[in-house]
Amino acid sequence: MDSRRIAMGAQGMGGIGAGYTYYVDDSGIPQDGLALYSWIGVPDDAAAEVEQRWLDFRAELELDLGVPAGYELHAHLFIGGRGRPGGLNPTKLARRRAAQRALDTIAELPGVSVGTVYAWERYWPAVPRRSAFAGLLRIFDERLADRGVNGHVIIDGDGTDPMYGDLHFDLEPEHISAAPTALPAHESTWLQMADLVAYTACHAVARRPNREFMWGWYSRHLPKAEGPMQA
């Protein structure tokens, strides 16, 4: 098993005692050269209490819509009308309303930070991911310095992408001593929250006609979030 995943230990859903933990997921439109990363940040000593607020929302969603509380909310599938949570197939309108309720819940979580960094290079599609993630690490390091704490980054993945560790090694962020930990989103409610933020941010930036209904979600439902800001 990859050492970055081992670092999660038994606390994969509630911080690892570093002081502050950022949960990160990516989105983008690779063929257009758009890459972005969104985060949910939480103080480790508050993570369990804050996460319970999200779990309470998931319980409400199960009662209201039949989406099992343990069902992985993968934003582009769920909002796009794919998947049958709990064997049911909610309408696209019901799914969109549920996603907006989820964003409102994230916005109301006490003490968390939310934000997005993106990079867009139409002619060099391999470049934006590195640029966006490097910008993300710099922002995290600045925010952690302001808080006077050290932090850790947990990102959706299986630990096979060397870019995250390589960029951490190159940048040497003062307040993030360990390389990012990779963890599959289905193992973390925090990463599922970050996934929804990332997908919402993507369509706030890309403004594709087939997702016009989402263009204003980021600013409307996450009014205190940072960005989307260009790396």
Side-chain angles (χ1 to χ4, degrees):
M1 182 179 289
D2 187 278
S3 61
R4 286 169 287 177
R5 293 184 62 187
I6 293 173
M8 284 296 297
Q11 302 183 58
M13 298 174 70
I16 63 168
Y20 200 89
T21 300
Y22 289 102
Y23 295 86
V24 176
D25 202 1
D26 68 319
S27 187
I29 304 175
Q31 63 269 32
D32 290 347
L34 172 63
L36 61 80
Y37 292 90
S38 293
W39 76 81
I40 306 283
V42 62
D44 291 343
D45 59 5
E49 180 181 353
V50 174
E51 184 180 38
Q52 188 58 51
R53 302 278 190 100
W54 175 259
L55 297 176
D56 291 344
F57 160 71
R58 289 302 308 268
E60 293 173 7
L61 192 63
E62 181 168 9
L63 288 174
D64 296 344
L65 195 60
V67 177
Y71 181 82
E72 180 183 356
L73 285 181
H74 204 302
H76 86 276
L77 297 177
F78 183 77
I79 295 172
R82 287 174 282 175
R84 302 179 72 89
L88 303 176
N89 188 17
T91 66
K92 285 188 176 181
L93 179 59
R95 290 167 184 259
R96 292 174 188 179
R97 287 176 174 169
Q100 291 175 83
R101 285 176 58 191
L103 290 169
D104 291 339
T105 300
I106 292 169
E108 294 169 0
L109 294 176
V112 305
S113 65
V114 180
T116 300
V117 178
Y118 73 94
W120 206 336
E121 175 52 72
R122 295 182 185 275
Y123 303 106
W124 300 95
V127 171
R129 288 183 71 244
R130 291 186 62 87
S131 298
F133 193 74
L136 188 78
L137 286 180
R138 293 187 183 100
I139 288 169
F140 287 171
D141 204 36
E142 292 173 3
R143 302 296 183 270
L144 291 167
D146 292 341
R147 292 176 180 273
V149 298
N150 293 322
H152 189 66
V153 177
I154 298 171
I155 190 162
D156 180 23
D158 60 8
T160 60
D161 189 339
M163 183 190 74
Y164 302 121
D166 290 347
L167 280 173
H168 178 271
F169 180 83
D170 292 342
L171 295 174
E172 295 184 313
E174 182 179 355
H175 299 279
I176 307 172
S177 60
T181 297
L183 187 73
H186 69 264
E187 297 182 16
S188 169
T189 57
W190 294 99
L191 289 175
Q192 292 175 45
M193 286 187 256
D195 170 78
L196 177 58
V197 174
Y199 188 67
T200 302
C202 177
H203 292 292
V205 175
R207 303 182 78 80
R208 285 193 155 191
N210 68 338
R211 286 293 181 268
E212 185 174 359
F213 65 90
M214 293 185 67
W215 289 2
W217 282 14
Y218 192 93
S219 59
R220 183 162 64 249
H221 296 286
L222 300 169
K224 298 179 182 179
E226 295 190 63
M229 49 191 153
Q230 194 158 9

